[in-house]
Amino acid sequence: MQTEMDMPTLTPQQILRKRKAGEPLLPGELEQVHRHTIAVLLENTIGALIRVVNLFSARGFNLESVTVGETDDPTVSRMTIVTTGNDRIIGQVLRQLDRLIDTLHVEDLTGGSFVERELCLLKVRYTNETRAAIMDTAEIFRGKVVDITPNTMTFELTGPTSKIEAFIKLMQPHGILEVARSGRVAMRRSSGSWLTHEDPILNLSSER
Amino acid sequence: MRTDTIPLVRSARPVLSPESEPVAASAEPVTGAEIFVRALEAEGVEVVFGHPGGAVIHIYDEIARLKPRFQHILVRHEQGGTHMAEGYAKATGRVGTVLVTSGPGATNTITGIADAYMDSIPIVVFTGQVPTKLIGNDAFQETDTIGITRSITKHSFLVRDVRDLAWTIKAAYHIARTGRPGPVVVDLPKDVLLAKAPFAYPEEVHLRGYRLPGPPDPERIREAAELIAASRRPLLYVGGGTINANAADLLTQLARKARIPVTTTLHGLGAFPEDDPLSLGMLGMHGTWYANQAVQHADLIIAVGARFDDRVTGRVDSWAPYAKVIHIDIDPSCISKNVPVDCAIVGDVREVLEQLLPLVEPKDTKEWLAKIEYWRNECPLTYEKGDGKLRAQYVIERIRARTGGHAVVVTDVGQHQMWTAQYFRFLHPRTHITSGGLGTMGFGLPAAIGAAFGLRGRSDWPVVCISGDGGFVMNAQELGVAAAHRLPIKVAIINNNFLGMVRQWQELFHENRFSHTDLSDTNPDFVKLAEAFHCVGLRATRPEEVDAVLDEAWKVNDRPVVIDFQVVKEELVFPMVPAGASTSEMITKRLTPNAFV
């Protein structure tokens, strides 16, 4: 139980700053950490990719998932980054990403409506007794058999991370041999391509 | 995904604007080494600080053959070269240039590159590299320079095709100079320097991923003016960004017009004349008591080109507890990084101040300034005098008196650096050069040499290097460079035969356990060392000798002078906010008994 004595004396300004940063006000209060999905367009080179990943380790940001692949323009690749942090940290992640010269566009998808998908390949053991049950479960998850041997089956499954994780959990009792997950890719739902408005603080004009 | 080993496809190259005619060109194919030399000429480079080696030997050959318009300065150690480029850049506002070979040549520049990155100094470092075919083979003098420097550069390039060389050099200077300045590394494989291509140096490059701040948002500027008008206890907190933007004059006008007191960071020194009654000197860990008191009581802090470094804020959540914060900065990633701000204006500091100035009305801050005067008298900057012992503060005050503040002062890192910041009372921008963010011992002497090269033909103000005995030795070899070019720099070594700042922490926080900070057994005879490098060596051990020694030093105009000021070792830098403590918790005098007294 918090007593008034334990509470730190904060000025209105200090309270405001902590609110802005999403930092806890009182001892014991949980930090407001959120998961953010960020899409990044960058130069399609290994060097550019390393720069982005390096930024996360050099600045101590969390990196839950990262995927990368070429876009319709072969000189541009697209990364989907899933990271966590309070508002101050997420703001830093976005602006530091934007500061890299190899990044062409940075967009925080979280907060808007977006599609997020993951691909999973899962190899599981089966017997004649478990085969039907496994196939039933896979059917419910719309999993596709992509390889089969006399005692193993490999499924291909796409969906949100929660679906993938639920499927893995259900397969566990049967004896999973291997799991390969792609990490998440994401895209904003809407007719447009990229958001035209940017972080108001950034006030950046592209040299493009 | 394409790997870097495949040459870049055309569309990945920066687009040259169609009307942009090359500023220099030759249709005949020439070697990469010649393109390099001609590109630097076209870029208007004045000085290259470099050291030759196998991977760049062809560039050195072209320098001998073409006799380019820039001067090449042979440095004695590549780290010294990078600090010279930094000193040159800080003194002139131009981009500094470094040229080194592969492997050890490149790794020796790391400290200087990191230093330039932390302090936003525009330098371009050209590193040799083994031929592209050998990259990755652990070839002789091979290092992954791009990999090693990735997190300490604003950007870096590995040139794999001689046809990319000219625009890459243009892009490197463009990136180093614009926005928030910083170091750029260009790695040059030997075969690229030997291959031939026609030379065309573009007037400008457009990099599609390089975004610079547009004009500042007028709405935010109005908001800032309103916050200033509504404040009762405003304080300007001024950093090096103000000097980088050449905005010291506007900042001074703003402060004087609105009667707002000014405190500066270490790199902000010189942005506002310290003889003005509105000046509170430096803030932070070794800032003045009155500046830090003003921070803790202000109701509005106007941060101009500053980044809320931990040496400024101390424990960040108790910093400036009553203040709303306006932050003017060119780098959006600095906004709300350490302290969430109430009004952020991203843009060139000069542009922002130009627009803010007419919106700010003269304010009545008499009561606030009177309060600050009270703090100033309560705990002024002071040290013990009259006991016949020589102290660093006195030496610095006498150098200040001799120059009248019309000098470029370059310091190393440590106690002498803080005393210089406290006691020199800077008047002009670009007259204080130091290693702030990285705190690089060994920075002072080479940076002073670089500054002296930069000032040639621009200013007749003397370059004074104030160093410690520990830091001076770290790059003492560069004295040879200063002597060879007959640079009349004055080097004042504040010699307490100790690593003074570490010693200070050991005394204050580690119960006088002076672990490996005593240099009395290993220090050289600095006078003899100076003489061995064809410099003049002088010495002072008592306060009454200081002026005479300075007289003698200032008479020398054709070579460097090194003065060994043997000062007391027990002196501590006060006031002080212990690391990680709140700005309110300043130590203003020695609390523990001194082991040496």
Side-chain angles (χ1 to χ4, degrees):
Chain A
M1 169 98 191
Q2 284 280 334
T3 67
E4 215 161 301
M5 292 298 287
D6 296 333
M7 293 194 188
T9 328
L10 294 176
T11 65
Q13 269 307 312
Q14 286 175 314
I15 292 171
L16 209 67
R17 281 184 206 156
K18 282 185 180 285
R19 282 272 177 257
K20 277 186 189 167
E23 280 164 6
L25 277 178
L26 303 168
E29 192 184 324
L30 285 180
E31 199 168 352
Q32 293 170 31
V33 172
H34 301 290
R35 174 172 289 110
H36 283 248
T37 303
I38 298 165
V40 182
L41 288 184
L42 65 160
E43 297 286 353
N44 186 19
T45 62
I46 291 283
L49 170 64
I50 296 171
R51 250 179 251 277
V52 170
V53 176
N54 188 60
L55 177 75
F56 279 76
S57 73
R59 298 210 174 251
F61 300 142
N62 288 320
L63 192 53
E64 266 192 18
S65 161
V66 56
T67 59
V68 63
E70 200 170 284
T71 62
D72 51 328
D73 177 346
T75 69
V76 177
S77 59
R78 177 174 175 133
M79 280 176 104
T80 306
I81 292 167
V82 183
T83 182
T84 56
N86 63 30
D87 292 351
R88 186 181 66 82
I89 292 166
I90 296 298
Q92 269 297 298
V93 169
L94 294 170
R95 287 174 208 147
Q96 293 290 352
L97 280 172
D98 207 90
R99 198 155 82 120
L100 294 176
I101 288 161
D102 281 336
T103 58
L104 309 178
H105 193 97
V106 178
E107 188 178 319
D108 184 5
L109 301 173
T110 312
S113 166
F114 66 99
V115 194
E116 195 176 54
R117 289 291 179 271
E118 204 177 331
L119 168 71
C120 172
L121 295 174
L122 183 145
K123 193 184 287 173
V124 66
R125 225 188 288 277
Y126 74 89
T127 59
N128 284 340
E129 289 78 54
T130 61
R131 186 166 179 271
I134 289 172
M135 290 299 287
D136 279 357
T137 311
E139 180 74 13
I140 293 165
F141 282 82
R142 292 169 198 265
K144 214 168 83 184
V145 179
V146 290
D147 186 45
I148 187 155
T149 71
N151 48 14
T152 69
M153 270 190 281
T154 304
F155 289 102
E156 171 197 316
L157 188 74
T158 61
T161 298
S162 53
K163 177 180 158 186
I164 307 276
E165 277 166 2
F167 182 67
I168 292 173
K169 210 170 170 191
L170 288 173
M171 286 297 124
Q172 257 159 2
H174 299 297
I176 295 173
L177 293 167
E178 257 189 282
V179 172
R181 292 168 67 172
S182 67
R184 282 162 263 187
V185 293
M187 193 173 277
R188 200 161 47 84
R189 289 184 200 267
S190 82
S191 56
S193 53
W194 288 83
L195 279 189
T196 44
H197 82 271
E198 289 192 341
D199 177 353
I201 283 177
L202 285 176
N203 176 32
L204 293 172
S205 70
S206 171
E207 278 212 348
R208 193 195 298 241
Chain B
M1 160 152 292
R2 208 181 58 237
T3 72
D4 276 338
T5 52
I6 301 165
L8 291 171
V9 296
R10 279 283 156 188
S11 56
R13 296 180 185 207
V15 184
L16 305 184
S17 57
E19 71 277 22
S20 159
E21 286 292 312
V23 289
S26 75
E28 282 298 300
V30 294
T31 64
E34 181 168 348
I35 289 175
F36 175 86
V37 170
R38 294 199 175 194
L40 261 54
E41 278 190 321
E43 186 57 42
V45 171
E46 299 172 330
V47 193
V48 174
F49 302 99
H51 198 286
V56 288
I57 197 161
H58 292 95
I59 290 178
Y60 278 86
D61 197 41
E62 290 301 329
I63 290 174
R65 192 176 70 87
L66 294 168
K67 301 196 171 45
R69 285 195 294 276
F70 59 81
Q71 186 183 8
H72 180 272
I73 307 297
L74 174 61
V75 303
R76 303 311 311 272
H77 187 287
E78 290 89 346
Q79 185 193 348
T82 48
H83 294 326
M84 285 180 208
E86 289 183 276
Y88 170 86
K90 289 281 273 186
T92 61
R94 297 168 59 86
V95 181
T97 305
V98 180
L99 170 62
V100 298
T101 193
S102 63
T107 55
N108 279 345
T109 64
I110 300 297
T111 304
I113 295 170
D115 192 89
Y117 187 65
M118 290 291 269
D119 286 346
S120 309
I121 302 173
I123 62 170
V124 176
V125 179
F126 296 99
T127 54
Q129 184 55 275
V130 299
T132 42
K133 273 201 215 76
L134 291 181
I135 290 179
N137 281 7
D138 298 329
F140 177 65
Q141 293 196 329
E142 179 188 355
T143 55
D144 174 13
T145 306
I146 297 296
I148 293 170
T149 59
R150 195 171 281 121
S151 55
I152 52 168
T153 48
K154 187 171 171 187
H155 198 59
S156 52
F157 296 95
L158 170 61
V159 183
R160 290 185 168 274
D161 185 330
V162 68
R163 289 169 300 170
D164 292 329
L165 183 55
W167 75 254
T168 303
I169 293 173
K170 182 75 212 178
Y173 281 92
H174 175 62
I175 291 168
R177 182 190 301 119
T178 51
R180 180 178 176 178
V184 177
V185 165
V186 182
D187 206 19
L188 304 168
K190 190 168 182 173
D191 55 331
V192 171
L193 296 174
L194 280 166
K196 287 188 172 183
F199 170 60
Y201 198 67
E203 198 183 341
E204 47 186 295
V205 282
H206 293 270
L207 301 158
R208 59 180 180 177
Y210 186 43
R211 291 166 295 271
L212 291 168
D217 182 352
E219 194 46 52
R220 298 291 176 127
I221 293 178
R222 261 195 301 280
E223 208 179 296
E226 280 162 22
L227 283 170
I228 293 171
S231 69
R232 294 161 58 88
R233 301 185 305 277
L235 177 68
L236 277 156
Y237 150 46
V238 175
T242 311
I243 294 169
N244 282 347
N246 296 315
D249 54 336
L250 293 176
L251 182 276
T252 306
Q253 284 177 40
L254 175 71
R256 286 179 177 161
K257 182 178 181 187
R259 307 286 308 148
I260 302 173
V262 180
T263 180
T264 68
T265 67
L266 183 62
H267 281 310
L269 290 168
F272 186 76
E274 289 194 82
D275 58 357
D276 191 299
L278 287 172
S279 169
L280 306 184
M282 186 171 72
L283 81 167
M285 180 176 273
H286 289 297
T288 61
W289 164 259
Y290 34 99
N292 283 331
Q293 284 295 100
V295 166
Q296 294 307 82
H297 290 82
D299 68 352
L300 177 68
I301 288 191
I302 309 149
V304 187
R307 63 182 177 94
F308 301 81
D309 174 71
D310 60 275
R311 286 298 190 258
V312 160
T313 62
R315 211 178 75 214
V316 72
D317 56 5
S318 60
W319 190 73
Y322 304 103
K324 289 192 170 164
V325 179
I326 300 170
H327 191 184
I328 304 170
D329 205 284
I330 197 159
D331 181 0
S333 75
C334 274
I335 305 285
S336 297
K337 183 166 81 175
N338 300 329
V339 176
V341 302
D342 302 274
C343 172
I345 309 174
V346 172
D348 176 69
V349 168
R350 187 167 182 90
E351 258 179 78
V352 173
L353 292 183
E354 261 167 10
Q355 293 175 33
L356 179 61
L357 199 50
L359 302 182
V360 172
E361 299 295 328
K363 285 179 66 69
D364 176 14
T365 51
K366 269 198 208 81
E367 214 177 300
W368 172 228
L369 294 175
K371 184 128 201 194
I372 289 172
E373 271 322 290
Y374 170 79
W375 288 321
R376 200 193 291 268
N377 295 325
E378 185 181 42
C379 186
L381 274 181
T382 186
Y383 61 94
E384 249 183 281
K385 293 168 209 175
D387 60 358
K389 290 179 179 171
L390 183 57
R391 286 185 171 78
Q393 299 96 314
Y394 178 73
V395 173
I396 290 159
E397 281 186 336
R398 294 320 296 162
I399 295 173
R400 173 63 168 78
R402 168 154 311 265
T403 59
H406 307 310
V408 174
V409 176
V410 186
T411 79
D412 211 83
V413 170
Q415 285 185 312
H416 71 276
Q417 177 191 31
M418 293 297 111
W419 282 318
T420 304
Q422 291 177 338
Y423 288 92
F424 194 83
R425 298 170 63 79
F426 290 90
L427 299 178
H428 310 285
R430 300 196 186 280
T431 58
H432 176 245
I433 299 172
T434 194
S435 167
L438 197 68
T440 308
M441 284 175 70
F443 171 88
L445 175 66
I449 293 169
F453 278 115
L455 291 186
R456 280 184 320 181
R458 288 199 170 88
S459 160
D460 50 11
W461 287 2
V463 174
V464 183
C465 171
I466 301 177
S467 186
D469 50 310
F472 176 81
V473 169
M474 285 196 183
N475 270 319
Q477 76 285 347
E478 304 303 336
L479 268 184
V481 178
H485 294 274
R486 303 202 160 271
L487 300 177
I489 59 171
K490 321 293 177 205
V491 184
I493 302 175
I494 305 298
N495 178 7
N496 66 352
N497 279 311
F498 251 96
L499 297 169
M501 189 57 94
V502 185
R503 184 195 179 282
Q504 169 159 348
W505 284 44
Q506 289 172 338
E507 176 180 330
L508 292 175
F509 313 116
H510 299 274
E511 292 152 345
N512 290 328
R513 284 186 297 276
F514 299 120
S515 179
H516 296 271
T517 42
D518 188 342
L519 300 176
S520 44
D521 292 339
T522 67
N523 263 344
D525 178 327
F526 288 105
V527 173
K528 284 186 181 162
L529 179 77
E531 285 165 355
F533 275 106
H534 316 294
C535 304
V536 175
L538 301 169
R539 178 170 288 134
T541 55
R542 301 177 54 76
E544 54 272 25
E545 295 166 5
V546 171
D547 280 340
V549 161
L550 290 177
D551 278 342
E552 211 172 318
W554 254 253
K555 279 182 207 146
V556 180
N557 279 317
D558 61 347
R559 71 193 70 185
V561 183
V562 177
I563 315 165
D564 178 20
F565 288 105
Q566 299 196 336
V567 299
V568 292
K569 56 177 167 287
E570 299 85 3
E571 197 64 15
L572 302 184
V573 183
F574 284 124
M576 176 181 195
V577 181
S582 159
T583 301
S584 309
E585 304 161 31
M586 277 202 110
I587 308 173
T588 54
K589 56 178 189 289
R590 185 173 250 127
L591 298 172
T592 54
N594 179 0
F596 278 88
V597 172

